[in-house]
């Protein structure tokens, strides 16, 4: 990701402190870090619990703090659907940028990146490298364009009192819409409403250093103090599950990079300030890392434009949080091929029932090489005889996730089909990465290869376990392909987070 150079970091920090931001200049500095863009470095040894900087809530940029929604009026804002999804916040960012120096955030906005390494901006040839991963269908470029055309453009045309003829202006172009949307995707936090009694012109009591205060577990897109665990599993980048008014740009907090399991600082939410504080001791010269929630590389690439490669427990490097998604329709095809009598249309009634009972239409496999219980249960549902199905329906209980050879044989077929969805084999990708030193690979292609290779390895691990079990290898214990139960909080037994969809 390139960073706009129209404002220097020192200008940004000066702007921040001039607006009541508190910044410990003796503790950290921002610097360009090879391959990561800007990042924060410790200037001296820091203890756990040290406050690095504090952002006054009025300096966060959201539909609550921008004046645009109230200027337009609630009725018109809602009539154009700007209270749903991110289009309202994107328009606020465009509006604030268009106000130039009269906007409170002009210096901040001028410091933000204008180019991104996310697939949203890739050529179609590069996107093709992602075939087989779940990224392609989630890039969201078309949806963003629809929102722009159907929500934003009509408002620009209807409210010339505020926008004049400016909809033809670069500040309100489709390209600007994508840039602002990508800034939100890679840098925003979840910040819930707070008491509006705060006076932005009076200096506030400095924030307390209370390590027990609530903290952001998932920043950017972090959650505010009174969010429940249930909320944490909601996707915040599809704009549908969360209140978009809670999505906010948080100056300076969004300058911190993240890497799997490296987090040493977090944002703590206090009444009038958001406080960035260390969560571990940090040595002088070390990078200060925030957390993005340690998502799989597919999500990292889609939202942030990079991938994590750290040492894996099983050897080599990669992202231990990687997962592969298997669609229910693929499972249905395999069951249909194995047990012709169960093919649709009869299975469609069972699918509807499965979804009504809370079953998902995506099954998630990770590095554990264990079958997800939901997948086993789903295969059993599709394979049952009509009398068994009638009984299951009557009892309103999902089938027990019991693994037997019939289930394994379907799963083996599912895995074979799933692996065939990628454009290349594991060996092709390993060869490509293996010769990278002699033949450098363009960044987008390399990132795509890292994502798909890891996914194929995960599928390959499970495939080997299933084949061994089917072949009756006595050295393989039955548990090697036992079903893995995901806990209700969306994590599995090892605490890995379930796929966000
Ligand atoms: C919240 S911003 C962090 C500040 C950013 N580096 C900048 O220059 O403004 C998130 C972006 O930083 C970059 N980034 C963060 N962590 C990274 C990492 N571990 N490896 C590579 N890039 C990273 C990605 O471009 C990501 O979209």
């Amino acid at each position: 990701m390139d960073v706009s150079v129209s404002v220097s970091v020192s200008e940004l920090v000066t702007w921040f402190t001039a607006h009541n931001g508190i910044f410990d200049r003796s503790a950290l500095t921002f610097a360009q870090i090879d391959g990561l863009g800007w990042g924060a470095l410790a200037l001296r040894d820091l203890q756990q619990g040290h406050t690095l900087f504090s952002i006054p809530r009025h300096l966060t940029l959201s539909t609550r703090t921008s004046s645009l929604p109230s200027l337009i009026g609630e009725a018109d804002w809602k009539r154009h659907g700007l209270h749903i999804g991110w289009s309202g916040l994107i328009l606020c960012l465009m509006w604030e940028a268009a106000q130039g120096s009269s906007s409170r955030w002009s210096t901040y906005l001028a410091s933000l990146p204008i180019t991104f390494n996310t697939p949203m901006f890739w050529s179609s040839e590069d996107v093709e490298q992602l075939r087989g991963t779940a990224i392609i269908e989630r890039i969201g470029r078309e949806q963003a364009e629809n929102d722009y055309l159907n929500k934003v453009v009509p408002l620009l045309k209807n409210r010339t009192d505020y926008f004049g003829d400016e909809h033809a202006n670069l500040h309100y172009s489709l390209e600007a819409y994508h840039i602002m949307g990508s800034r939100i995707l890679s840098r925003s936090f979840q910040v819930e409403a707070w008491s509006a009694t705060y006076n932005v012109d009076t200096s506030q009591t400095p924030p307390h250093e209370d390590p027990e205060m609530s903290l952001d577990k998932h920043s950017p897109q972090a959650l505010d103090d009174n969010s429940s665990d249930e909320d944490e599993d909601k996707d915040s980048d599809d704009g549908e599950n969360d209140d978009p008014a809670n999505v906010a740009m948080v100056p300076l907090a969004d300058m911190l990079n993240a890497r799997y399991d490296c987090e040493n600082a977090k944002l703590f939410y206090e009444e009038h300030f958001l406080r960035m504080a260390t969560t571990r001791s940090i040595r002088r010269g070390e990078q200060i890392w925030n957390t993005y929630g340690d998502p799989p590389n597919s999500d990292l690439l889609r939202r942030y434009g990079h991938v994590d490669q750290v040492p894996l427990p099983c050897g080599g490097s990669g992202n231990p949080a990687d997962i592969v998604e298997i669609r229910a329709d693929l499972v249905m095809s395999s069951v249909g091929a194995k047990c012709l009598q169960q093919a649709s249309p009869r299975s469609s009634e069972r699918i509807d029932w499965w979804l009504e009972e809370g079953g998902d239409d995506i099954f998630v496999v990770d590095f554990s090489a264990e079958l997800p219980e939901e997948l086993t249960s789903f295969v059993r549902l599709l394979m049952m005889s009509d009398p068994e199905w009638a009984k299951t329906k009557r009892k309103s209980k999902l089938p027990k996730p019991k693994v037997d050879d019939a289930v394994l044989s379907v799963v083996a077929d599912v895995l074979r089909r799933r692996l065939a969805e990628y454009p290349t084999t594991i060996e092709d990708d390993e060869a490509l990465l293996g010769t990278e030193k002699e033949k450098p690979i363009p960044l987008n292609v390399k990132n795509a290869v890292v994502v798909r290779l890891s996914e194929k390895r995960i599928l390959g691990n499970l495939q080997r376990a299933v084949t061994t079990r089917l072949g009756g290898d006595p050295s393989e214990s039955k548990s090697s392909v036992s079903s893995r139960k995901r806990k209700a909080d969306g994590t599995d037994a090892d605490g890995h987070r379930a796929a966000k969809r």
Side-chain angles (χ1 to χ4, degrees), residues 28 40 46-55 189-191 207-224 229 232 250-259 261-270 273-282 287-294 497:
L28 78 154
L46 299 170
Q47 296 297 312
Q48 178 182 348
H50 185 91
T51 298
L52 300 164
F53 51 87
S54 297
I55 309 110
F189 289 70
Q190 287 278 338
V191 179
H208 317 289
E209 297 230 353
D210 179 359
E212 293 309 309
M213 286 298 286
S214 54
L215 49 128
D216 66 322
K217 291 187 187 150
H218 297 267
S219 58
Q221 295 299 331
L223 293 158
D224 211 340
D229 277 352
E232 290 178 33
V250 183
L252 260 56
D254 60 4
M255 295 284 283
L256 268 58
N257 297 312
R259 176 169 292 162
D261 206 22
C262 285
E263 176 232 290
N264 53 17
K266 273 184 179 175
L267 201 58
F268 291 71
Y269 292 80
E270 297 176 352
F273 288 84
L274 308 182
R275 183 170 64 90
M276 185 63 78
T278 58
T279 54
R280 295 181 195 169
S281 57
I282 303 176
Q287 184 161 183
I288 303 175
W289 302 98
N290 193 200
T291 174
Y292 302 166
D294 289 346
R497 184 143 294 282

Side-chain angles (χ1 to χ4, degrees), residues 280-415:
R280 295 181 195 169
S281 57
I282 303 176
R283 303 290 298 273
R284 175 169 180 243
E286 281 180 356
Q287 184 161 183
I288 303 175
W289 302 98
N290 193 200
T291 174
Y292 302 166
D294 289 346
N297 275 341
S298 51
D299 258 2
L300 272 181
L301 184 57
R302 182 178 66 84
R303 294 170 58 163
Y304 303 98
H306 71 272
V307 292
D308 268 353
Q309 284 187 285
V310 299
L312 290 171
C314 52
S317 63
N319 183 339
D322 275 353
I323 46 128
V324 187
E325 297 185 2
I326 295 176
R327 297 180 322 276
D329 64 347
L330 197 70
V331 182
M332 285 163 63
S333 311
S334 290
V335 173
K338 292 262 164 203
C339 342
L340 287 175
Q341 77 280 8
Q342 299 298 349
S344 58
R346 274 202 289 175
S347 60
S348 68
E349 192 195 348
R350 300 184 188 191
I351 313 293
D352 290 345
W353 177 83
W354 169 266
L355 295 173
E356 277 162 25
E357 291 292 318
D360 210 340
D361 58 355
I362 297 279
F363 305 98
V364 177
V365 182
D366 60 24
F367 276 114
S368 68
E370 289 176 358
L371 271 181
E373 277 194 359
E374 299 85 346
L375 175 57
T376 309
S377 176
F378 186 65
V379 171
R380 293 202 82 87
L381 173 71
L382 295 181
M383 293 178 73
M384 24 180 79
S385 64
D386 282 344
E388 281 172 323
W389 159 233
K391 200 168 141 198
T392 301
K393 202 162 82 165
R394 210 172 42 247
K395 284 188 170 170
S396 195
K397 244 176 131 181
L398 298 181
K400 288 215 171 75
K402 190 168 162 278
V403 180
D404 59 17
D405 282 2
V407 169
L408 289 174
S409 151
V410 168
V411 171
D413 191 62
V414 168
L415 295 173

Side-chain angles (χ1 to χ4, degrees), residues 91 94-100 148 152-153 156-157 162-177 180:
L91 182 58
M94 297 199 295
W95 156 264
E96 295 293 344
Q99 302 318 299
Y148 175 74
V152 173
V153 170
L156 296 177
K157 286 185 176 155
Y162 285 108
F163 301 107
D165 283 333
E166 283 187 292
H167 58 272
N169 180 312
L170 280 182
H171 285 297
Y172 299 106
S173 66
L174 176 60
E175 197 200 344
Y177 189 83
M180 294 306 188

Side-chain angles (χ1 to χ4, degrees), residues 66-83:
S66 167
S67 51
L68 183 66
S70 53
L71 290 173
I72 297 295
E74 192 180 341
D76 228 8
W77 193 258
K78 287 193 168 166
R79 197 164 60 80
H80 288 85
L82 293 167
H83 60 305

